[in-house]
Amino acid sequence: MGAGADNSTVRTSTLAPAGGPAVAVQEDPPAVLSAQKSLRRPSGGLDRTKSLRSEASGLQMQDSGLTESVMGEEAGPQKSPEQAANWLSRLTFWWLRGLIATGWKKALELEDLPLLPEGDWADNVAPRFGKHFHEEEKKEDKSLFRPLLKTFGAQLWITGILQLIYVLLGLTSPLFLNSTLTYIQEGQNTGNFMYKIFGHYYGYYAAGALLVVPTVALLIQNQFQQMSFRMGVQVKTALIVTVYGKSLKLSNAARQEKSVGEIVTLMQVDTDKVSQTTPFIHITWSGLVQIFGNLGILIYYIGWPALVGFAVLLVTVPTQGRLVNKMMDMQRSIMKNTSARVKIVNEVLQGMRVVKSYAWESPFKNAVKAVRSQELASMRRRVFYRALMVCIMLSNPAVIMVVTFAFYAGVANQTLDAATVFTAVSLFNSLRAPLMMYPFIINALLSGQVSMKRLTRFVSLPELPPNRITDLDADQPAAAPATDGAQDSPTPAVSSDADVMLKVEKSDFRWAGPPAGEKKPNLAAIKSGIGATSFGARTVAGLHAGARSFARIGSMVTKPFNKSAPAQVVAAKEEVKVEEPFSLVDISLEVKRGQLVAIVGPVGSGKSSLSSALLGEMDQTAGAPVGMRGSLAFCTQQAWIMNSTLRENVLFGRKMEPERYQRVLSACALNEDLAVLPDGDMTEIGERGINLSGGQKQRVSLARAAYADADIYILDDPLSAVDAHVGAHLFQQCITGLLANKTRVFVTNQLQYVPAVDLIVLLKDGHIAARGTYDQLMAAGTEFGALMKSSGADSNSVAQGDLEAVVKKGRADYKEKKRADKSVADRGGRQRLARKEAGTGRLVEAETRAKGNLKLSVYKKYWTEASLLVPLLVFCLFGLVQAIDAYNRYWLSYWTENKYNQGLAFYLGIYAALAFAYAFFIYIRTLGFFLLGLWTARILHEGILSSILRAPMAFFDTTPVGRILNRFSMDQSYIDENLSMSWNMFLNMLFSAAGSFIVIVIVTPWFLAVLAPMALLYAYMQQVYRRTARELKRVDAVTKSPIYQQFTETLNGLPTIRAYRQQDRFNDLGHIKLDHNNRAFFLLRSCDRWLSVRLGMMGNFMVSAAALLAIVKKGIYAGQAGISIDYALAVTQSLTMLVQNMTDTENQMNAVERMYEYRDGIQLEAASVVEDNRPDPAWPQHGAIEVEGLSMRYREGLRLVLQDVSFSVQAGEKIGVVGRTGSGKSSLMLCLFRLVEPAAGRIVIDGVDIASIGLEDLRRKLSIIPQDPVLFSGTVSSLTGKLEAEVVEYGENFSVGERQLLCLARVLLRNSRVLIMDEATSSVDFETDRLIQATIRTHLKDTTMLIIAHRINTVIDASRILLLEDGHLAEYDTPAALLDTPDSKFAALVQATGDESAEHLRRVARGEEDYFAAYEKLQEATDVDVAEEFVERGEQAGSLEETDATKVDLKRSAGEGSSKDGPA
């Protein structure tokens, strides 16, 4: 249920959990919610879905991830009227009358559309295809074509029969035309076959037959088209479901091979291209039937010269074959570059906050443009071949007629008469229809073939083995693979100990990757020229001693890097050396029922990898599979949050149980947050949890795990992003409270909690170095004691009783400070973005769409975007080509009448000249048109890319990435590939229809009596159709975004989804969203058929009327009658195709409209550079900051989140910024980077008002280490400057701690005078944190720093503490002064860490104890040798084994070692 659901469907209950305030929790409405669907799919999948849809009665998918809002039954869609229609209604598409009437009255919405027929539901189509696909998976040479053929073979046969009947009926029209012209020319010709059947008035019967037979053919053709499009919808559905299902099972190696952007392209673009081939399969062979059938009739009328013309046709076949091969090669290149472009755009969108903070818009824009230029280069080359192909197809009939009539009149010495000539012309024009379609057919088939191969490669990628986890409760092992859509279930295994819940025995695990030393292409890594100075060996020593896995960054930071180096893109041909993937070796672990096991170790030791190994996400290379007993819940190190309500994020598909739900909220410290959220637990959470703080996201993730009520819990550092007292609360109330009887594996860097666990496992370099209870390890005098001592946890650790005191103190203090009546939008940080309107919890609004006619300004901008002159020339060429074609027909009439009393050479010469002029101008027209379209597409892409990169952060916080990606993928694909072709066909049909009517009226003026009412009826029909079709296309476009948004979200949260075994639920949600989109698309195509039937009947009536008028009119020449009837036959097809092409073009122009919406409709940030007010290149020289009366709100209408904040920071000061969640800490940092502009006040850095200079000039001079570290695919050099170690998408081959270290390296290289650290060390262990802090204080001692931290120890020795509360500056003084103030809020925060820890922190603040005394020697190091000596000693002191450390050669450290806590 969405946040904005009708209050009438919601009941509220107020519960008062123990120790917390009463919280209003909304109860579920009676309708079925997605969050409460069964996790398992029942055997009757279709029956389950029918029941769900029936109860939901109009489930409306909102563009907000997994959120579904349920409407009342009276407003919901009804069953498919097609299913209830009789045969006549289906034949004439009368069953669409209700929808078309609604579309005439109002702009259609999703709820106005009837449901799909049950046979088209994804739940029906997927199992049919899946059955054959699973058989195909067993083969070595997998192919998607074979299972598709088996699934849809019967439909293919039926449509083939219908198409054959249509083609055979179509061959009769020239016969009836010949009889009509013969009757006009010779009167009662007793030799005509019609005379033998109908007698003296056979001409009238022939004219009537031109109405009846084509109408029958018309009805059959439209049934063929309807069934073909239905099959196309089903094919696309089957492929999307298969791709989505495959993505849920991909192995880690496969996920690294295919980025999220590439997989989205496969699902969005490639499946569409394959589905578009279905209508063309039969047209391919039926076109040949038409060609040979017409050839046979030609031979009957004009004899062997017809074979000469056919020979000319055959000569062009090899040329067309070569063109096809060329275009196929280019299509492969285009698709490859499209995937690469979408991948980069996706990464930029996912990391936009970092991109803007570092002013990396230009480098990333250049990277996208570099790939786009390669994409356009292939498209430009293809344009010449496509234009030539169109020219050959369209001009072939004219050239063939020249050759045929030359041989007929010149060699065979036959006299050209009107009946024979125009029958031949009609037959040659019948050839034109299939020949005109072949460019589009070939283009579609080529694209489909390339896409089919890409999809086949994807579905052939390796999957996680189904038996990777064994069931300890089973009696026998089983290795049966999972069936389609089935949950991954543990494979049975033998176990003798019923208390063992988790077991790993002598197993090795390895992240998938190429062999060590292998060369791999560097995928367009971005070198942003971020610059640095040489920091010397001390920086190397500090980083290296802190994290041995980070040693390869060492040599980089010792070398100068050119600060002024321009942004550039590394050529894709460059290669990088791939290092050995990280491995876990000889892992043995046994966890018993109810045990709490802590996994500890330094950064890069393998803690997160062990979590992944237990989940089955790592490749197991030795030992027995991981054994588990019972269900599993998982809490990731970086919380994965769905774009849905907070409740749905917690329930995660499980049934709502209010009492249990409240216990979980209380244990996870979420009650206070719910009390102030604008819509309680029904507040919508933005994509990637954008409107939650890091701590809130982590607590929601933990609540999801706690609510799962699983048997086994794997918690990967769940306390890293929370405050000290909140962490203590979570540990006591949740981990050791609510989950006390559960089996828990607790990965943590918070060593103060390890005394309270049952078992401690110490990891080092991928193996278990020690294990035992806390007392055992401390008593043994092992390296664990040294680790505890070095972290300060030995003295600061608290037992369970102490934890209660900490929690009590922190909770009381929190309640005292909070204001319950404040909305989250007024409590600071990113939460302001959660309230679009006062009192609502909706953040991401449904995607807007235009209604009514497409604005003329859209057409004007599109046609004049690239040039004013070229479109005028193209329009003139359309008119010229049509004039040549019309005069060509008239010249044939003159020839048959010998109007000029000239010989054969005269008439044939001019006729040939006209034919070749026709071909030449078609090529010029088509080439110019396609190039103009490509030119416009390039400008549009550059415009929207620039606009998106310059959009404010508020836009990205409220707009799903999938919605933006849809512009860069599907919409851009329409503009690149289809729009120019659609415009070309529409204008061709428009000029053809106009020319036809003009000629018919000139020849038979009485035809105006028929044309006038037909024109009015035609205008009315097309207007009715366009109103409905236009809105259906817009609904189709809007309903696409939720599909790809969920798909992207699923890929990002894949480990979580698989850990909870919720693949089926996400599949079900995907099916429903897919059905919503298919409803609009299928109805759109059905409306095409509705129009085709009616306009076709009108056209057939006009043909018959033209023939009857020609018969009854006295004195008309047969040649003129032939022109009139021939054009009438042509206009029948032209009318239908004209309206359909006009609508298709208008529908595809929606893509242009959507592009303009983002290019011109987004309010942009301030200028990147203010040319007349650029700061000095050396600015800021000192880093002094003055904040004067700063107030800020996230948008107009919201309250101020910072209110009159004023303070000053001296150059080089280290300011600790503290405050509770929502106090305004992040808001202050956003103001510094101008990610949000202040409402009042100003910020001055070294005398420069930052609001007066350009954003790029500002942001390039500042640096930030974010709480959520963001890495981009490429190499480490693209992040820091020099190294060539590969970084996969999102940096997933590094642990979160290592990513934070890489972000630190960025900062060291930039050497900024102002640095923001936003909880930058939350995911590293204490040892590494201390070393990082020491390095910063040593080598960034002249840098002004603002440090947001949950660990009070990291700011206790800061120059001053800045404490914010509800957007106000509450305290600002030195730590010692604040601690000496009795009622200081900062002192209360320090005390909340525990008595012993608080006393230690007070001594540090007063200078009585130096927290970093152990690292003073770093400051004394003056050369590499001294630094190496210190590193060696530091490793000996903090090592996890009692062995002599080997001296580290820093000069070679960048090329050695590959210890990564993550897949490589």
Side-chain angles (χ1 to χ4, degrees):
M1 184 176 69
D6 192 331
N7 291 334
S8 63
T9 65
V10 178
R11 294 172 294 154
T12 61
S13 61
T14 303
L15 300 177
V23 178
V25 178
Q26 297 180 359
E27 297 181 3
D28 294 326
V32 177
L33 295 177
S34 65
Q36 298 182 8
K37 293 177 189 173
S38 171
L39 295 183
R40 293 271 181 182
R41 174 178 292 149
S43 57
L46 183 58
D47 293 337
R48 173 193 59 76
T49 305
K50 289 167 65 176
S51 174
L52 185 150
R53 294 168 197 264
S54 176
E55 290 186 52
S57 183
L59 188 66
Q60 183 182 15
M61 304 303 301
Q62 299 295 333
D63 189 5
S64 57
L66 305 181
T67 304
E68 304 173 5
S69 68
V70 183
M71 303 175 300
E73 292 200 13
E74 70 278 4
Q78 302 173 356
K79 288 186 177 181
S80 171
E82 184 184 13
Q83 286 183 284
N86 57 40
W87 67 271
L88 185 60
S89 179
R90 292 191 181 195
L91 191 65
T92 59
F93 297 90
W94 185 252
W95 57 269
L96 283 166
R97 65 189 183 280
L99 177 69
I100 291 175
T102 305
W104 176 258
K105 297 174 184 176
K106 54 171 286 191
L108 292 173
E109 301 290 348
L110 182 60
E111 59 266 27
D112 297 319
L113 310 186
L115 294 175
L116 283 171
E118 292 181 9
D120 297 325
W121 289 1
D123 279 340
N124 187 300
V125 175
R128 287 171 51 204
F129 176 74
K131 174 184 176 182
H132 301 294
F133 177 69
H134 288 316
E135 296 175 357
E136 186 69 21
E137 283 186 304
K138 302 173 184 177
K139 301 178 182 179
E140 291 185 5
D141 58 332
K142 296 182 180 66
S143 170
L144 280 173
F145 177 75
R146 287 190 291 264
L148 283 173
L149 187 62
K150 292 177 181 178
T151 305
F152 304 105
Q155 293 165 267
L156 206 61
W157 274 104
I158 295 172
T159 52
I161 293 171
L162 291 176
Q163 179 69 358
L164 179 61
I165 296 173
Y166 162 72
V167 169
L168 294 178
L169 289 175
L171 293 175
T172 62
S173 292
L175 302 179
F176 299 133
L177 172 63
N178 181 267
S179 297
T180 303
L181 294 179
T182 301
Y183 185 85
I184 295 173
Q185 178 177 286
E186 303 178 8
Q188 297 180 4
N189 187 334
T190 57
N192 189 276
F193 81 98
M194 292 288 291
Y195 177 84
K196 297 177 182 179
I197 300 175
F198 297 104
H200 295 294
Y201 297 100
Y202 70 85
Y204 293 93
Y205 287 104
L210 288 173
L211 171 64
V212 176
V213 176
T215 298
V216 174
L218 173 73
L219 295 174
I220 292 174
Q221 182 205 24
N222 280 280
Q223 289 301 311
F224 158 76
Q225 294 281 5
Q226 177 75 350
M227 294 182 68
S228 295
F229 280 119
R230 184 190 302 277
M231 184 167 56
V233 169
Q234 293 180 356
V235 166
K236 184 176 181 180
T237 298
L239 291 176
I240 288 178
V241 169
T242 301
V243 171
Y244 187 67
K246 179 72 178 184
S247 69
L248 290 170
K249 298 183 284 187
L250 285 178
S251 68
N252 195 269
R255 290 182 63 199
Q256 291 183 44
E257 182 176 339
K258 293 292 183 182
S259 68
V260 172
E262 289 174 313
I263 300 175
V264 169
T265 301
L266 287 170
M267 186 180 183
Q268 194 171 30
V269 178
D270 290 277
T271 58
D272 188 62
K273 290 186 180 297
V274 173
S275 69
Q276 288 177 5
T277 63
T278 53
F280 298 132
I281 294 174
H282 291 306
I283 297 177
T284 304
W285 62 261
S286 65
L288 297 176
V289 173
Q290 283 182 280
I291 291 171
F292 284 103
N294 287 325
L295 177 63
I297 299 173
L298 276 170
I299 293 174
Y300 172 78
Y301 282 113
I302 63 177
W304 63 266
L307 295 175
V308 179
F310 184 70
V312 175
L313 177 64
L314 293 180
V315 169
T316 62
V317 172
T319 301
Q320 296 176 48
R322 284 192 290 271
L323 292 176
V324 167
N325 290 332
K326 287 285 187 182
M327 288 192 292
M328 185 180 294
D329 292 338
M330 294 171 191
Q331 183 65 26
R332 293 192 191 98
S333 175
I334 290 169
M335 294 301 295
K336 181 179 179 181
N337 286 312
T338 299
S339 295
R341 174 175 56 82
V342 174
K343 174 186 175 183
I344 297 176
V345 172
N346 178 58
E347 287 195 74
V348 172
L349 294 175
Q350 298 285 357
M352 185 57 76
R353 192 177 296 273
V354 170
V355 171
K356 287 188 172 295
S357 297
Y358 280 88
W360 282 348
E361 293 95 334
S362 293
F364 275 107
K365 182 179 180 180
N366 292 337
V368 175
K369 289 175 66 176
V371 179
R372 177 67 174 167
S373 65
Q374 298 176 16
E375 185 182 16
L376 288 172
S378 297
M379 289 181 179
R380 275 192 297 270
R381 290 193 297 271
R382 189 182 62 176
V383 157
F384 289 90
Y385 293 104
R386 289 179 73 178
L388 185 57
M389 179 74 78
V390 170
C391 174
I392 292 174
M393 296 299 184
L394 292 181
S395 61
N396 249 351
V399 175
I400 291 170
M401 282 190 286
V402 169
V403 175
T404 302
F405 292 150
F407 275 83
Y408 182 76
V411 180
N413 292 319
Q414 298 292 322
T415 302
L416 288 176
D417 62 83
T420 301
V421 166
F422 285 99
T423 299
V425 169
S426 176
L427 289 165
F428 281 126
N429 283 333
S430 297
L431 289 177
R432 178 179 294 183
L435 292 176
M436 279 180 63
M437 289 300 298
Y438 268 113
F440 309 102
I441 294 172
I442 291 172
N443 182 60
L445 292 178
L446 287 179
S447 299
Q449 182 183 12
V450 173
S451 294
M452 182 77 79
K453 290 180 179 179
R454 286 162 49 86
L455 289 167
T456 301
R457 284 194 296 270
F458 175 75
V459 298
S460 301
L461 291 173
E463 301 176 358
L464 289 177
N467 59 345
R468 65 190 186 277
I469 298 178
T470 61
D471 186 356
L472 294 176
D473 277 329
D475 295 327
Q476 297 180 3
T483 58
D484 181 50
Q487 305 280 0
D488 285 340
S489 299
T491 303
V494 178
S495 176
S496 58
D497 191 343
D499 288 333
V500 175
M501 300 295 290
L502 179 62
K503 186 175 183 179
V504 184
E505 188 173 358
K506 296 181 179 179
S507 298
D508 294 350
F509 301 91
R510 177 180 183 271
W511 285 114
E518 179 179 323
K519 294 287 185 178
K520 185 173 182 178
N522 181 4
L523 299 176
I526 304 164
K527 291 190 175 181
S528 58
I530 50 183
T533 60
S534 177
F535 290 101
R538 287 192 292 262
T539 302
V540 179
L543 290 174
H544 188 76
R548 296 180 63 187
S549 64
F550 198 57
R552 45 203 177 126
I553 298 179
S555 64
M556 173 195 64
V557 296
T558 65
K559 302 176 183 179
F561 190 62
N562 184 6
K563 293 181 68 174
S564 62
Q568 56 181 315
V569 178
V570 178
K573 295 181 180 179
E574 291 185 13
E575 295 181 336
V576 295
K577 185 177 180 179
V578 179
E579 299 178 352
E580 182 68 32
F582 181 77
S583 300
L584 295 173
V585 181
D586 194 25
I587 301 297
S588 294
L589 180 64
E590 191 173 277
V591 184
K592 295 187 177 181
R593 191 183 307 276
Q595 270 193 323
L596 172 58
V597 178
I599 309 295
V600 299
V603 171
S605 60
K607 301 187 297 299
S608 293
S609 290
L610 180 57
S611 298
S612 297
L614 296 179
L615 294 170
E617 296 287 334
M618 283 185 78
D619 293 339
Q620 186 166 2
T621 57
V626 176
M628 286 189 181
R629 177 176 280 112
S631 57
L632 176 69
F634 176 50
C635 185
T636 56
Q637 186 176 16
Q638 276 191 303
W640 175 68
I641 304 296
M642 300 184 299
N643 179 200
S644 185
T645 63
L646 188 143
R647 180 195 290 188
E648 286 175 338
N649 271 281
V650 174
L651 297 181
F652 207 51
R654 288 171 172 80
K655 184 179 179 180
M656 175 67 169
E657 298 178 15
E659 292 184 6
R660 172 178 157 204
Y661 182 67
Q662 284 295 338
R663 288 196 302 270
V664 169
L665 295 181
S666 178
C668 295
L670 285 170
N671 283 324
E672 288 81 5
D673 299 287
L674 293 184
V676 296
L677 285 173
D679 206 12
D681 64 343
M682 296 306 294
T683 298
E684 183 188 359
I685 309 304
E687 200 170 31
R688 307 179 307 281
I690 195 65
N691 53 323
L692 297 179
S693 69
Q696 287 173 323
K697 287 189 284 187
Q698 199 68 60
R699 282 181 280 137
V700 170
S701 179
L702 185 59
R704 175 192 300 152
Y707 190 82
D709 195 25
D711 300 304
I712 302 170
Y713 285 80
I714 298 177
L715 309 174
D716 190 357
D717 206 6
L719 309 181
S720 60
V722 298
D723 295 321
H725 78 278
V726 177
H729 173 102
L730 295 177
F731 188 79
Q732 184 212 32
Q733 298 292 329
C734 183
I735 297 174
T736 61
L738 185 65
L739 306 180
N741 297 322
K742 305 294 184 180
T743 303
R744 294 142 294 165
V745 177
F746 176 46
V747 177
T748 185
N749 288 313
Q750 314 291 318
L751 299 184
Q752 68 268 31
Y753 300 113
V754 297
V757 307
D758 300 313
L759 179 69
I760 299 169
V761 176
L762 187 64
L763 287 179
K764 175 188 176 183
D765 294 338
H767 69 273
I768 295 177
R771 81 181 76 204
T773 66
Y774 176 78
D775 293 336
Q776 289 172 342
L777 293 179
M778 293 298 291
T782 62
E783 50 281 324
F784 175 75
L787 184 65
M788 294 293 293
K789 184 177 180 179
S790 65
S791 68
D794 59 332
S795 61
N796 299 330
S797 300
V798 286
Q800 193 71 9
D802 297 324
L803 282 172
E804 293 177 2
V806 171
V807 173
K808 183 177 180 181
K809 171 66 177 174
R811 181 185 293 153
D813 191 52
Y814 184 83
K815 292 179 185 177
E816 180 184 350
K817 307 303 179 188
K818 79 177 187 67
R819 297 178 182 178
D821 59 342
K822 286 275 194 177
S823 75
V824 71
D826 303 312
R827 289 189 59 84
R830 286 158 292 209
Q831 294 179 342
R832 286 53 165 201
L833 295 167
R835 202 178 82 174
K836 297 291 288 183
E837 295 179 357
T840 69
R842 188 157 184 80
L843 173 67
V844 179
E845 295 296 332
E847 185 171 5
T848 59
R849 65 181 179 93
K851 295 181 180 180
N853 289 327
L854 205 64
K855 294 180 181 178
L856 290 177
S857 59
V858 176
Y859 293 102
K860 180 181 177 181
K861 283 195 288 187
Y862 176 77
W863 279 104
T864 59
E865 192 78 58
S867 171
L868 290 173
L869 180 61
V870 175
L872 293 175
L873 293 176
V874 169
F875 273 94
C876 291
L877 286 173
F878 272 101
L880 178 61
V881 167
Q882 187 58 39
I884 293 174
D885 182 62
Y887 194 70
N888 184 287
R889 309 284 181 92
Y890 266 99
W891 191 254
L892 273 179
S893 175
Y894 298 156
W895 189 355
T896 59
E897 300 167 9
N898 194 14
K899 183 175 181 177
Y900 298 105
N901 295 316
Q902 297 291 327
L904 174 65
F906 173 75
Y907 290 109
L908 182 60
I910 294 179
Y911 186 65
L914 290 171
F916 286 107
Y918 178 76
F920 173 76
F921 286 112
I922 280 182
Y923 179 75
I924 297 300
R925 181 193 75 183
T926 307
L927 179 62
F929 200 89
F930 286 169
L931 287 175
L932 176 64
L934 206 57
W935 191 358
T936 303
R938 177 184 63 81
I939 294 173
L940 275 174
H941 183 272
E942 289 182 359
I944 190 174
L945 178 62
S946 298
S947 181
I948 289 295
L949 289 174
R950 291 201 56 215
M953 278 308 304
F955 170 77
F956 300 100
D957 292 339
T958 57
T959 307
V961 168
R963 190 183 299 175
I964 304 174
L965 267 183
N966 203 19
R967 265 65 168 185
F968 285 94
S969 53
M970 183 62 75
D971 289 338
Q972 190 65 50
S973 176
Y974 277 132
I975 295 170
D976 288 342
E977 302 275 348
N978 303 332
L979 189 55
S980 294
M981 190 72 80
S982 294
W983 269 111
N984 188 52
M985 291 183 65
F986 165 65
L987 291 174
N988 188 51
M989 290 300 163
L990 177 64
F991 279 87
S992 175
S996 298
F997 283 127
I998 291 172
V999 171
I1000 294 172
V1001 170
I1002 291 174
V1003 174
T1004 53
W1006 280 103
F1007 186 74
L1008 278 173
V1010 177
L1011 182 60
M1014 282 295 176
L1016 293 175
L1017 183 59
Y1018 166 81
Y1020 171 74
M1021 296 293 292
Q1022 65 90 20
Q1023 187 65 23
V1024 169
Y1025 165 77
R1026 285 179 59 212
R1027 281 196 186 185
T1028 301
R1030 179 176 56 235
E1031 299 307 322
L1032 284 173
K1033 180 61 180 177
R1034 285 170 172 163
V1035 174
D1036 171 62
V1038 168
T1039 53
K1040 274 188 174 70
S1041 294
I1043 299 173
Y1044 306 120
Q1045 177 192 344
Q1046 180 188 331
F1047 190 54
T1048 302
E1049 196 170 54
T1050 299
L1051 291 174
N1052 291 331
L1054 201 51
T1056 300
I1057 294 170
R1058 293 201 286 219
Y1060 285 92
R1061 299 175 186 169
Q1062 294 219 12
Q1063 296 95 315
D1064 278 352
R1065 186 172 75 92
F1066 277 81
N1067 261 324
D1068 291 342
L1069 290 170
H1071 288 183
I1072 294 174
K1073 292 184 178 183
L1074 186 58
D1075 286 344
H1076 278 283
N1077 180 246
N1078 285 343
R1079 280 163 61 189
F1081 180 77
F1082 179 72
L1083 289 170
L1084 174 63
R1085 293 308 178 194
S1086 297
C1087 286
D1088 288 347
R1089 308 277 61 80
W1090 177 89
L1091 178 73
S1092 177
V1093 167
R1094 283 145 184 81
L1095 292 187
M1097 289 181 177
M1098 291 169 55
N1100 293 336
F1101 179 78
M1102 284 190 286
V1103 171
S1104 182
L1108 287 172
L1109 288 173
I1111 290 173
V1112 300
K1113 183 182 178 181
K1114 303 300 182 182
I1116 188 174
Y1117 289 106
Q1120 293 176 329
I1123 294 174
S1124 176
I1125 299 173
D1126 182 46
Y1127 266 118
L1129 284 169
V1131 85
T1132 302
Q1133 185 179 20
S1134 296
L1135 279 177
T1136 303
M1137 293 185 67
L1138 173 62
V1139 178
Q1140 289 180 353
N1141 288 331
M1142 177 171 60
T1143 306
D1144 284 342
T1145 302
E1146 184 180 33
N1147 290 338
Q1148 291 182 29
M1149 283 296 292
N1150 282 326
V1152 177
E1153 180 186 42
R1154 286 154 57 85
M1155 297 285 274
Y1156 281 138
E1157 177 192 357
Y1158 277 12
R1159 193 193 73 169
D1160 303 330
I1162 298 175
Q1163 184 177 358
L1164 304 181
E1165 290 183 310
S1168 298
V1169 175
V1170 179
E1171 292 294 346
D1172 57 352
N1173 190 30
R1174 301 201 68 174
D1176 187 272
W1179 177 87
Q1181 296 89 342
H1182 309 292
I1185 303 174
E1186 292 286 340
V1187 178
E1188 302 172 359
L1190 182 65
S1191 298
M1192 187 267 277
R1193 59 170 55 92
Y1194 278 88
R1195 72 173 180 89
E1196 291 298 325
L1198 293 181
R1199 295 183 182 179
L1200 294 171
V1201 296
L1202 290 176
Q1203 301 181 47
D1204 196 25
V1205 175
S1206 298
F1207 62 91
S1208 61
V1209 180
Q1210 301 301 317
E1213 279 193 317
K1214 309 298 184 287
I1215 306 299
V1217 183
V1218 298
R1220 303 187 184 280
T1221 298
S1223 61
K1225 304 186 298 294
S1226 296
S1227 300
L1228 177 60
M1229 303 310 164
L1230 294 178
C1231 287
L1232 277 171
F1233 283 89
R1234 290 179 63 191
L1235 293 175
V1236 179
E1237 298 288 355
R1242 64 175 190 159
I1243 300 175
V1244 179
I1245 300 179
D1246 278 1
V1248 176
D1249 185 349
I1250 64 172
S1252 66
I1253 62 174
L1255 294 178
E1256 185 174 344
D1257 286 336
L1258 169 66
R1259 293 169 182 170
R1260 283 190 177 276
K1261 298 297 184 176
L1262 307 180
S1263 289
I1264 185 171
I1265 305 177
Q1267 180 182 5
D1268 297 325
V1270 177
L1271 304 185
F1272 302 96
S1273 61
T1275 63
V1276 172
S1277 63
S1278 66
L1279 305 168
T1280 54
K1282 292 295 180 181
L1283 296 179
E1284 293 185 341
E1286 184 185 7
V1287 180
V1288 302
E1289 193 173 33
Y1290 308 135
E1292 289 188 352
N1293 55 327
F1294 293 90
S1295 70
V1296 178
E1298 288 175 324
R1299 289 178 228 168
Q1300 286 187 328
L1301 293 174
L1302 279 168
C1303 292
L1304 172 63
R1306 282 182 188 153
V1307 172
L1308 294 176
L1309 287 173
R1310 285 171 71 94
N1311 194 26
S1312 301
R1313 284 294 180 184
V1314 178
L1315 169 63
I1316 312 300
M1317 295 184 66
D1318 188 359
E1319 302 169 12
T1321 59
S1322 59
S1323 296
V1324 299
D1325 57 86
F1326 277 103
E1327 177 72 8
T1328 304
D1329 188 8
R1330 289 177 57 181
L1331 291 165
I1332 290 174
Q1333 300 299 333
T1335 301
I1336 290 172
R1337 284 155 176 75
T1338 303
H1339 303 294
L1340 299 176
K1341 60 185 178 181
D1342 296 328
T1343 300
T1344 303
M1345 299 174 61
L1346 300 180
I1347 305 170
I1348 301 175
H1350 286 312
R1351 294 174 179 172
I1352 299 297
N1353 62 286
T1354 60
V1355 295
I1356 196 64
D1357 67 336
S1359 306
R1360 280 185 277 185
I1361 298 295
L1362 188 153
L1363 191 146
L1364 292 171
E1365 185 178 53
D1366 292 337
H1368 296 275
L1369 179 60
E1371 295 178 354
Y1372 187 52
D1373 209 334
T1374 64
L1378 293 176
L1379 290 174
D1380 290 337
T1381 303
D1383 58 348
S1384 167
K1385 297 176 176 63
F1386 178 70
L1389 288 176
V1390 172
Q1391 187 61 42
T1393 64
D1395 293 337
E1396 292 187 18
S1397 177
E1399 182 59 31
H1400 168 70
L1401 294 174
R1402 289 191 187 96
R1403 290 196 301 268
V1404 175
R1406 294 166 183 157
E1408 299 171 2
E1409 181 178 334
D1410 189 349
Y1411 195 80
F1412 298 101
Y1415 300 94
E1416 288 180 350
K1417 192 167 184 178
L1418 274 174
Q1419 302 176 22
E1420 303 170 1
T1422 55
D1423 54 35
V1424 173
D1425 293 333
V1426 177
E1428 288 175 346
E1429 178 184 356
F1430 180 84
V1431 171
E1432 182 177 351
R1433 293 180 182 177
E1435 289 177 346
Q1436 290 174 343
S1439 65
L1440 302 182
E1441 292 182 351
E1442 300 276 351
T1443 58
D1444 293 333
T1446 303
K1447 185 175 181 179
V1448 179
D1449 184 355
L1450 292 178
K1451 297 177 182 178
R1452 295 184 290 108
S1453 62
E1456 298 177 0
S1458 179
S1459 137
K1460 299 192 276 290
D1461 190 359

